[in-house]
Amino acid sequence: MLNKLKISHRLALFMPMLVLALALAVGFALSTLRGTLMDDRKEELKQILMVTRGIAQNWYDREQSGELTRAQAQKGAQDDIRKLRFGNGEYVYVNQYDGLTIVHIKREFEGKNRMSFKTADGVETVRLGIEAAKQGGGSFTYTYPRPGSKGGPAESFPKMTYSLGFEPWQWALGTGIYIDDVDAIYHDILTAMLMLTAVVVVAGGLVAYLLARSIAKPLKLITERMGRLADGDLSVDIPLLNDRHEIGRLARALEVFKRNGLRNAELTQAQMAEQQEKLRRQQAVEASLADFQQRTARVLDNVVNASEEVRNHSSGLADMATQSRGMVEMANQASAETSGNVQMIASAAEELAAAVGEVNQQVTRSTTIAERAVTEAERTGETMRGLAEAAESIGTIVQVIQEIASQTNLLALNATIEAARAGEAGKGFAVVASEVKTLASQTTKATDEIQGYITGIQQETTRAVDAIANIAHVVGDMRAISTAIASAMEQQGATTSEIARNINEAAAGTQQVSTNIVGVAGAAEQTSQSANVLHAASEALRQDADGLNAEITGFFTRLRAI
């Protein structure tokens, strides 16, 4: 229950306890005082009776010495006792054990047996006194009128009587004293005690109020400041820091809490700032990653597109090489036919005289074949020039791929630097960046190999163009020779040796044409092989680009999942 009360109310409980303690103390003190006063009165009566018994003993001793008879001794003792007075006219009386009164202030009582005497309140004083005397002494109280009063019950006052026996003569010595003064003293002291108790209670209440106020007010103030501090108000002023009592120590502890709160607030702000900085860095990293991903995606798209274009061009190059090889075969067949025709012309030259008409026919046929060879040579030249242009286009594409690989390598280097700045969080990013750099290096190496193949194709294409040009030149010579033969046919009178010489030159030319056509066929075959290699390299490049795209996508997915 006390836990539900305020401290001021708990301190107020001191007052009822103080009143109860004072009441108990005053009651005990008054009871003790009354007992002490009664004991003093009793002791006073006892001492008087001791003196009285001493007087009786003195006369008894004279009786025992033979100086006086018993009657004389008792008479002397009675006279001395009758004269005794103390207090406010108090006296001593003597009763024999049989109830006969022998000494009394009221002489009319002497000589009478008063064993059955009772006071107004019904106390048998004579009998009680004789019984107390027989038992060695004792006291009792009763009410009795004061001497000189009318004796009514209203004028009776409390009185204490003490009895003491004198055994040699069987006397019960008795005396009494009014004890109403004890009640007066008791009531005076009770009044004083009550006034003192009231003063103590009032003073105690005031002290308790001031004490409760001196405790409750600082506690209320500290509690209010503690509540504000608990609500997060760190600007609160802590009072009572210089007090040396428990509340002062509480205030100093609260000041420590306030400082710790301020320190925690500063740490929280620092952590929030650090968190914001981390968030800003994370956003920057996310932005860099997004930008890097976009740029990488664009580069990979360019690589894929370039690889597709290279593959398409390589397919076209292979087709053109196949077509060139077919045209070369046709040219080779035409050259073979031309060589046969020349041999036939040589034979006809031997029989020139006999078969001029036949020679004319063969010359016409040779001219036709020469025209066809020129046409096929021109077409082959155009095809080889297209092949050269395709090779140059492939070289341009390879340069684009090299630039893409360089840009990818640069992006991988930037990603490695950003991963190093990110610390532990960027280790996975650094691994992927290293893989990107490795793929970029592989791409560069592949493009270098493709560049080498393209250079070879360009060289072989140049040689093929030159060979076809030689074929065209030879075919042109053939056409000139055919024209010369036609002129010779008009000059049938030219010498056979000149015809033989021209025919031999024609045979050497056809042989050179055959040789050049074989070279063109080899170049066309090599061009086809190079186109196939370029196609395979472009396909591998496209697969590497797809793998690189998958790795980068997976890396960004894993990085964003961290």
Side-chain angles (χ1 to χ4, degrees), residues 314-511:
S314 62
S315 298
L317 182 62
D319 294 338
M320 287 188 292
T322 302
Q323 186 177 2
S324 298
R325 185 168 55 188
M327 292 181 179
V328 168
E329 289 178 356
M330 293 177 62
N332 190 13
Q333 183 178 359
S335 176
E337 292 178 356
T338 302
S339 178
N341 292 330
V342 170
Q343 290 177 358
M344 291 175 65
I345 291 172
S347 299
E350 295 177 354
E351 298 175 356
L352 180 62
V356 174
E358 184 69 17
V359 170
N360 189 21
Q361 183 180 359
Q362 293 296 331
V363 169
T364 303
R365 186 177 179 184
S366 176
T367 301
T368 303
I369 292 172
E371 290 292 337
R372 289 176 57 194
V374 170
T375 303
E376 292 296 331
E378 289 177 353
R379 291 178 60 188
T380 302
E382 292 176 355
T383 301
M384 294 310 295
R385 282 192 297 273
L387 181 62
E389 292 176 355
E392 290 178 356
S393 299
I394 293 172
T396 303
I397 293 170
V398 169
Q399 289 180 357
V400 171
I401 294 172
Q402 286 179 344
E403 291 177 356
I404 292 171
S406 298
Q407 188 175 5
T408 303
N409 193 7
L410 180 59
L411 291 174
L413 179 60
N414 292 332
T416 303
I417 295 173
E418 292 295 332
R421 292 179 178 175
E424 291 294 330
K427 285 187 176 181
F429 185 78
V431 173
V432 175
S434 177
E435 294 177 357
V436 171
K437 185 177 181 181
T438 302
L439 290 175
S441 300
Q442 293 178 357
T443 302
T444 303
K445 184 177 180 181
T447 53
D448 291 335
E449 292 177 356
I450 293 171
Q451 181 67 36
Y453 292 144
I454 293 302
T455 302
I457 290 172
Q458 289 177 345
Q459 292 177 356
E460 294 297 331
T461 302
T462 302
R463 286 189 292 178
V465 170
D466 295 335
I468 290 173
N470 291 330
I471 292 173
H473 181 69
V474 171
V475 171
D477 292 339
M478 290 174 62
R479 186 172 58 183
I481 293 170
S482 297
T483 302
I485 292 173
S487 299
M489 288 298 296
E490 294 175 356
Q491 297 176 1
Q492 293 181 1
T495 61
T496 302
S497 58
E498 183 66 23
I499 294 172
R501 185 179 62 79
N502 291 328
I503 291 173
N504 288 330
E505 289 180 358
T510 56
Q511 187 66 34

Side-chain angles (χ1 to χ4, degrees), residues 128 133 136 239 247 259 522 556:
L128 292 176
I247 298 178
R259 293 177 181 175
F556 285 114

Side-chain angles (χ1 to χ4, degrees), residues 38-273:
M38 296 299 289
D39 290 339
D40 290 342
R41 297 297 188 271
K42 187 185 298 183
E43 185 65 25
E44 180 182 358
L45 296 176
K46 183 179 179 180
Q47 293 298 324
I48 292 173
L49 292 180
M50 290 293 291
V51 172
T52 303
R53 191 169 62 175
I55 293 173
Q57 183 69 38
N58 183 42
W59 287 99
Y60 176 74
D61 290 341
R62 291 175 70 179
E63 176 193 350
Q64 292 296 319
S65 67
E67 179 183 355
L68 296 173
T69 64
R70 171 167 288 194
Q72 292 175 343
Q74 288 182 348
K75 180 70 171 60
Q78 291 173 2
D79 291 339
D80 289 341
I81 292 174
R82 193 177 289 114
K83 297 177 182 178
L84 292 175
R85 294 291 184 273
F86 64 93
N88 296 323
E90 303 298 335
Y91 57 94
V92 177
Y93 60 89
V94 179
N95 295 314
Q96 292 182 358
Y97 283 176
D98 58 2
L100 181 66
T101 301
I102 58 175
V103 176
H104 199 278
I105 191 173
K106 293 181 179 181
R107 300 297 293 271
E108 63 270 19
F109 287 167
E110 293 180 359
K112 295 179 180 180
N113 192 321
R114 301 174 64 241
M115 180 66 75
S116 61
F117 176 80
K118 293 181 179 181
T119 62
D121 55 354
V123 178
E124 298 178 347
T125 57
V126 176
R127 186 180 59 81
L128 292 176
I130 293 172
E131 290 178 356
K134 289 179 179 181
Q135 294 175 1
S139 66
F140 57 92
T141 59
Y142 58 96
T143 59
Y144 199 75
R146 288 183 182 275
S149 64
K150 295 180 179 181
E155 297 181 357
S156 297
F157 298 95
K159 187 175 184 179
M160 176 185 288
T161 294
Y162 196 87
S163 294
L164 189 64
F166 184 68
E167 293 300 327
W169 291 343
Q170 297 292 301
W171 285 3
L173 307 175
T175 186
I177 185 173
Y178 288 96
I179 59 173
D180 55 340
D181 61 337
V182 173
D183 292 335
I185 294 173
Y186 177 81
H187 287 96
D188 292 341
I189 294 177
L190 176 60
T191 302
M193 284 290 185
L194 292 176
M195 292 180 65
L196 180 60
T197 300
V199 172
V200 171
V201 169
V202 172
L206 180 60
V207 171
Y209 171 75
L210 295 176
L211 181 62
R213 188 171 181 270
S214 65
I215 295 174
K217 185 177 180 181
L219 278 178
K220 182 179 180 182
L221 184 60
I222 288 295
T223 303
E224 185 268 335
R225 300 300 170 84
M226 189 179 297
R228 290 175 58 186
L229 186 61
D231 292 337
D233 186 8
L234 300 178
S235 63
V236 63
D237 185 23
I238 307 301
L240 309 175
L241 293 175
N242 297 325
D243 292 351
R244 296 186 178 181
H245 46 70
E246 289 79 0
I247 298 178
R249 290 198 295 269
L250 178 63
R252 288 189 286 274
L254 192 61
E255 179 68 18
V256 174
F257 289 152
K258 174 184 175 182
R259 293 177 181 175
N260 291 336
L262 291 173
R263 189 178 298 108
N264 291 334
E266 292 176 356
L267 292 176
T268 302
Q269 291 179 356
Q271 291 176 356
M272 290 179 62

